[in-house]
Amino acid sequence: MPPAAILRECFDYDPFTGALTWRVRPVAHFQSQARAEWWNRRWAGREAQGSLCSRYGHRQVTFTVRRTTYRILTNRLAWALVHDRSPIGDITRWDPRTGSSTPDNLRQSTRSQTARDSKRRKPGLKGAYRTKNGKWHSRVWVGGKHRHLGTFPTEQAAHDAWVLANVKVAGRFFNAGYLTVFD
């Protein structure tokens, strides 16, 4: 990620809407005066919405400064512009349904916190696993190890035990796969 000073030369950020717009960039960013004039005529003042880079709705902005090409996720870019430094770890949204990159919707997280915040991508309740004898069990990932939470008669009971354990472990970085207790 480039230094925050270069990011401020390239982008304007509106903290109320989370919108990124291209600024008139200095000639030093380009190989020639003509290239700088062409780029600024075409892009300066326009929204830097970025391209879709994943199936989960993440967007990235690509730009070149002094022959170095940067590809930065828009969440990370917004965080860097607000906090005047590069983020450590992942940047996730408190409410991913909005898609908003406003400062109050962005948070720093570790990779394990981001994983706990993910939605279930297969049928069934998150955290509930069927055993060979037809019962259900659940487990939670803590400190690099799985902790068995017990065996339950129903899928819902196993899921409920998993939810309670994850609320204790992950706090606000927890996503049960639907509206959680924090929504």
Side-chain angles (χ1 to χ4, degrees):
M1 193 154 180
I6 290 179
L7 294 177
R8 282 192 304 277
E9 289 176 349
C10 295
F11 300 97
D12 279 326
Y13 174 70
D14 183 358
F16 298 108
T17 64
L20 292 163
T21 53
W22 291 105
R23 297 185 77 171
V24 174
R25 292 174 54 198
V27 176
H29 285 201
F30 300 94
Q31 294 178 6
S32 67
Q33 174 81 26
R35 181 75 176 156
E37 289 173 2
W38 172 85
W39 192 95
N40 285 323
R41 252 191 334 270
R42 181 170 180 160
W43 297 105
R46 293 180 70 182
E47 186 178 1
Q49 60 190 9
S51 60
L52 201 59
C53 68
S54 78
R55 63 182 176 170
Y56 307 116
H58 299 290
R59 293 195 165 275
Q60 75 178 2
V61 174
T62 304
F63 62 102
T64 302
V65 176
R66 299 181 192 107
R67 295 185 183 194
T68 302
T69 301
Y70 299 99
R71 287 179 183 82
I72 304 173
L73 293 173
T74 55
N75 285 351
R76 295 180 68 77
L77 181 57
W79 177 272
L81 290 169
V82 169
H83 298 282
D84 206 29
R85 61 182 168 84
S86 294
I88 298 169
D90 293 343
I91 300 297
T92 58
R93 295 182 177 115
W94 286 108
D95 186 1
R97 295 170 299 197
T98 64
S100 169
S101 292
T102 57
D104 59 340
N105 197 31
L106 298 177
R107 64 182 175 188
Q108 277 188 287
S109 63
T110 64
R111 193 54 55 109
S112 65
Q113 288 169 330
T114 302
R116 286 187 191 277
D117 193 32
S118 68
K119 290 190 169 105
R120 184 170 178 95
R121 288 174 177 74
K122 55 186 176 181
L125 293 173
K126 202 171 176 184
Y129 306 94
R130 187 171 212 121
T131 62
K132 290 180 182 179
N133 65 3
K135 293 187 179 183
W136 296 86
H137 76 95
S138 64
R139 63 186 183 203
V140 66
W141 186 262
V142 180
K145 295 182 180 178
H146 278 113
R147 298 264 169 99
H148 183 69
L149 299 174
T151 304
F152 305 91
T154 65
E155 181 182 21
Q156 185 65 48
H159 173 71
D160 291 343
W162 178 82
V163 168
L164 289 175
N166 269 296
V167 166
K168 289 179 186 174
V169 172
R172 297 216 46 164
F173 286 96
F174 172 63
N175 182 347
Y178 50 84
L179 297 179
T180 63
V181 292
F182 301 112
D183 289 336

